[in-house]
Amino acid sequence: MTDFPSPTEPVHMGLPHERHLRPRLWVALACGLPVLALAMGGMAAPSLLHGIDPSLLAWVQLALTTPVFLWAGAPLNRRWWRSIRECDPNMFTMTVTGTGAAYVYSVAATLAGENFPAALRTAHGPPLYFEAVAFITTVVLLGQILEQRAHARTGEALEALLRLAPPIAHRVTPGGGEQDVPLAAVLPGDLLRVRPGEHVPVDGRVTTGASDVDESMLTGEPLPVPRVPGDPLRAGTLNTTGSLVLTAERVGADTVLAHIIRLVTNAQESEAPIARLADRVTAWFIPAVLGLALATGAAWLAFGPAPRLPLALLNGVAVLIIACPCALGLATPVSIVTGIGRGARAGILVQDAAALEHLASTTVLLLDKTGTLTTGRPRVAAVLPVGPQWTPAELLRLAAAAEAPSEHPLARALVAAAAERGLALPAAEAFRAEPGVGVSAVIRGHRVAVIRPTGSLPPLPPEATGATLVEVQVDGTRAGCIALADALKPSAAPAVRELRALGWRVELVTGDRAEAAAPVAAALGLDAWHAGISPAGKQELVRAWRARGARVAFAGDGLNDAPALAAANVGIAMGDGTDVALRSAGVILLRGDLAGLVRAARLSRATLRNIRQNLFWAFAYNFAGLPLAAGILYPWTGWLLHPMVASVAMSLSSITVVANALRLRHLRID
């Protein structure tokens, strides 16, 4: 089982687990919203706070902001101190430096505002920045919780993979009895029994018995495959009907399932270049701001008018306050959160914020077949009777009647096809199912068998190319064949056309046979197709494209797709896919069709464009405000950037960024 860290241990970006951060977020929200209302309420509705003593409002804001900064923001503050101690500036360095300067200044203004120079006081006393402290701390906490939830999917996906291997195996003793043993106690050469409905515990070969085994987790093939003595079995696959005894060959870490787990583990990576832009900027921005603040204080001490010391301190602090990265800190998370919300309303669940960025720059899309392009449910594509005595309707009626008692996917497809055509099914008697061969029953006095084809196969019409064939026999004589195909989803063809119009190269990658892959690729006009590809092969194909500099998206829905989903720049899972696929992907299409991928591509491009706009305004504000806060215009105009003006400018920059991000709520992506 996967070991998870305790709530207080760092798990991502040097912060504790989100379970430890969530209570702090609630406290920050509960205290921060009233602070925001008190600070901004007077501007929005001047009469709202009329008559209330400004000093009382200041003390209330101090009382509410202190737990936000010192307790809710404690993990951020510890991360800030670590970045200072290790000389490793990052977003926390910039954020806490700004909020810390604003908090210390505001506390000083509350406690001793009457001692501030008159030029820096209003009729209500020195301006305060408590709302910026509370707001920024809350937003950063929210962003870190969202990121940790994306990272937590790694452990969940591995847990789902591990659950595929049963914890107990049924070992056959030399005397013919059975002994339940832990999976870890199974050795190569042991005989193990696998009952109907159980997962195969280890890799091996069938010794006795016959059954149909669902191997879709490995191959993507939707239909169970027959397994008889001598055939291989893989750990994690599902035995559907008969009882099997296998000889264990590869156990523990040597099984194919264990190999898939390693592939997923090694491929999990997290990178969000634009979301980390602030980290890269702080490598020079924080030292520059600190240097500018010190230089400002020194210059005012050396050359400024009286009183030199208060003006030097306040102008130095003004530089730190106006550099407080409120707009910069909001630029990316507000756009991403808004974009994620817009996607959810369109059936697009974004599990990893970085996926939005990667999707916007995608150049190659690799698609699984079964469940992604096709429905994953076989349907009758053609009925091919032999001889004039059999009509297609009568042949289908007999086959469906014989299969009616069976739960096999092909049986359900035959019965559904008969129902769609309005065919009444006669009663089946003396039903027999032979795993790996087929079924038979007595229908109106005749023994009807639906089995694997024998002898030469009839020519198939175009619509049945690549389909699975079953043979229908009546009293031991072939009466005809029925072709069952996995139909394309109606949205597949138009979606592929639109994706190619976006400039994407679209390729099919499937574990299915070439005979099944080629017709699908031709019908959709794909750029290329790859058949018979294992889970490791899918991942290697993703890595090969990435090694060539391509930005790769992979779309799939099965366990066999999980390594490729994790290795791609962005993994896209169908909403009706397996748990492992859903947890390995960055984007889930809840409606399970590629039309959602087209919408996701448009959303990602719009979100990235919105982030770039926000970053422009955030940086423009900082670069314009810093020289003014330092007093660069004072020698010529005698003008200083009043803290109240800085407060309004800070608020306006944040409002601009938020308002621009909120435009994504009404984005048209259909």
Side-chain angles (χ1 to χ4, degrees):
M1 301 293 287
T2 302
D3 292 327
F4 292 102
S6 70
T8 56
E9 289 179 353
V11 296
H12 176 59
M13 295 293 291
L15 297 181
H17 195 278
E18 62 139 327
R19 292 193 301 270
H20 186 65
L21 296 180
R22 279 200 303 268
R24 298 174 186 269
L25 175 63
W26 299 130
V27 169
L29 283 170
C31 296
L33 290 177
V35 172
L36 199 61
L38 291 174
M40 301 298 181
M43 288 186 262
S47 62
L48 184 64
L49 303 176
H50 181 69
I52 301 178
D53 186 356
S55 63
L56 175 62
L57 293 178
W59 279 102
V60 171
Q61 292 183 59
L62 170 60
L64 290 172
T65 304
T66 297
V68 175
F69 180 70
L70 296 182
W71 186 79
L76 311 181
N77 299 341
R78 285 193 292 268
R79 188 66 183 86
W80 169 82
W81 174 243
R82 176 180 162 188
S83 70
I84 298 296
R85 188 178 68 247
E86 298 177 358
C87 298
D88 178 27
N90 52 47
M91 183 62 183
F92 298 106
T93 317
M94 184 164 57
T95 299
V96 179
T97 297
T99 56
Y103 178 76
V104 170
Y105 163 83
S106 299
V107 170
T110 301
L111 298 177
E114 67 276 4
N115 297 323
F116 280 37
L120 298 176
R121 283 186 282 128
T122 68
H124 303 295
L128 306 175
Y129 298 93
F130 288 123
E131 80 285 353
V133 176
F135 189 50
I136 295 172
T137 301
T138 303
V139 168
V140 173
L141 277 173
L142 175 61
Q144 291 305 308
I145 288 173
L146 292 176
E147 283 200 37
Q148 286 202 17
R149 288 184 177 177
H151 282 267
R153 291 198 329 276
T154 302
E156 293 174 359
L158 295 179
E159 289 287 340
L161 283 168
L162 290 168
R163 284 195 297 270
L164 288 176
I168 299 295
H170 313 302
R171 183 158 58 193
V172 179
T173 63
E178 288 186 18
Q179 179 186 16
D180 288 347
V181 297
L183 189 60
V186 175
L187 301 174
D190 285 351
L191 294 178
L192 306 175
R193 186 177 302 280
V194 185
R195 299 169 182 145
E198 292 184 340
H199 288 277
V200 177
V202 298
D203 290 358
R205 289 190 178 273
V206 178
T207 302
T208 60
S211 181
D212 288 331
V213 178
D214 183 353
E215 296 185 344
S216 58
M217 53 83 72
L218 291 178
T219 66
E221 173 63 50
L223 301 177
V225 295
R227 285 291 178 252
V228 296
D231 288 341
L233 291 172
R234 296 289 178 261
T237 56
L238 178 65
N239 181 28
T240 61
T241 53
S243 178
L244 297 172
V245 174
L246 66 91
T247 301
E249 294 181 343
R250 289 183 295 275
V251 301
D254 296 327
T255 65
V256 173
L257 177 61
H259 181 55
I260 292 177
I261 292 173
R262 287 194 296 273
L263 290 175
V264 174
T265 304
N266 295 336
Q268 289 285 353
E269 55 189 2
S270 176
E271 53 177 10
I274 201 163
R276 296 286 176 258
L277 179 59
D279 282 350
R280 297 198 297 272
V281 169
T282 53
W284 57 267
F285 185 75
I286 286 295
V289 168
L290 293 175
L292 180 60
L294 291 173
T296 298
W300 280 92
L301 275 175
F303 309 109
R308 290 184 177 182
L309 180 59
L311 286 174
L313 289 174
L314 289 173
N315 282 304
V317 169
V319 170
L320 294 177
I321 290 175
I322 205 164
C324 184
C326 187
L328 186 60
L330 292 172
T332 296
V334 172
S335 292
I336 287 177
V337 170
T338 307
I340 289 173
R342 176 65 185 94
R345 297 202 311 273
I348 304 162
L349 178 60
V350 179
Q351 298 197 106
D352 184 354
L356 280 177
E357 176 184 356
H358 294 318
L359 197 58
S361 58
T362 292
T363 57
V364 175
L365 172 64
L366 303 179
L367 293 166
D368 178 49
K369 181 178 74 70
T370 304
T372 303
L373 294 173
T374 66
T375 62
R377 297 182 296 274
R379 297 176 58 86
V380 171
V383 182
L384 310 169
V386 175
Q389 71 272 34
W390 301 109
T391 64
E394 185 61 22
L395 188 66
L396 178 59
R397 186 198 310 272
L398 291 174
E403 290 277 16
S406 174
E407 290 298 321
H408 194 282
L410 290 183
R412 293 195 294 269
L414 291 170
V415 173
E420 290 173 1
R421 292 161 173 79
L423 302 177
L425 302 184
E429 301 175 354
F431 173 81
R432 292 203 306 263
E434 188 175 351
V437 178
V439 304
S440 65
V442 175
I443 310 294
R444 293 174 178 170
H446 298 279
R447 172 60 65 176
V448 177
V450 183
I451 62 175
R452 299 172 66 183
T454 60
S456 60
L457 299 178
L460 296 177
E463 65 271 18
T465 303
T468 298
L469 284 181
V470 295
E471 181 177 314
V472 183
Q473 292 183 353
V474 179
D475 294 329
T477 302
R478 177 189 279 188
C481 291
I482 299 177
L484 296 104
D486 192 4
L488 288 172
K489 292 181 178 179
S491 61
V496 167
R497 286 195 298 269
E498 292 195 52
L499 292 171
R500 295 189 69 199
L502 292 175
W504 292 12
R505 177 181 176 87
V506 184
E507 296 187 358
L508 173 65
V509 186
T510 178
D512 214 340
R513 300 168 297 124
E515 294 82 359
V520 171
L524 297 177
L526 302 182
D527 293 293
W529 57 271
H530 311 266
I533 306 297
S534 67
K538 291 182 179 182
Q539 189 184 75
E540 284 305 313
L541 187 60
V542 169
R543 288 175 170 167
W545 272 113
R546 292 190 65 176
R548 285 184 255 173
R551 305 287 288 183
V552 183
F554 188 97
D557 76 327
L559 170 60
N560 59 313
D561 301 318
L565 288 168
N569 294 104
V570 54
I572 302 154
M574 301 296 112
D576 50 0
T578 64
D579 284 346
V580 177
L582 297 178
R583 289 167 178 162
S584 299
V587 176
I588 297 175
L589 306 181
L590 296 178
R591 298 171 190 168
D593 63 72
L594 283 185
L597 181 52
V598 177
R599 292 190 289 270
R602 293 171 180 161
L603 174 66
S604 67
R605 294 187 177 191
T607 302
L608 199 64
R609 185 166 58 248
N610 191 272
I611 291 173
R612 291 193 180 109
Q613 294 166 353
N614 285 348
L615 289 173
F616 168 78
W617 288 112
F619 281 121
Y621 158 75
N622 276 287
F623 283 119
L626 283 171
L628 297 179
I632 194 172
L633 297 180
Y634 184 81
W636 298 279
T637 65
W639 184 78
L640 291 174
L641 183 65
H642 196 285
M644 178 59 75
V645 177
S647 177
V648 172
M650 182 189 299
S651 300
L652 287 177
S653 68
S654 299
I655 291 171
T656 300
V657 166
V658 172
N660 186 53
L662 290 179
R663 293 190 304 114
L664 292 172
R665 296 176 59 188
H666 308 290
L667 178 69
R668 297 192 62 179
I669 56 178
D670 292 321

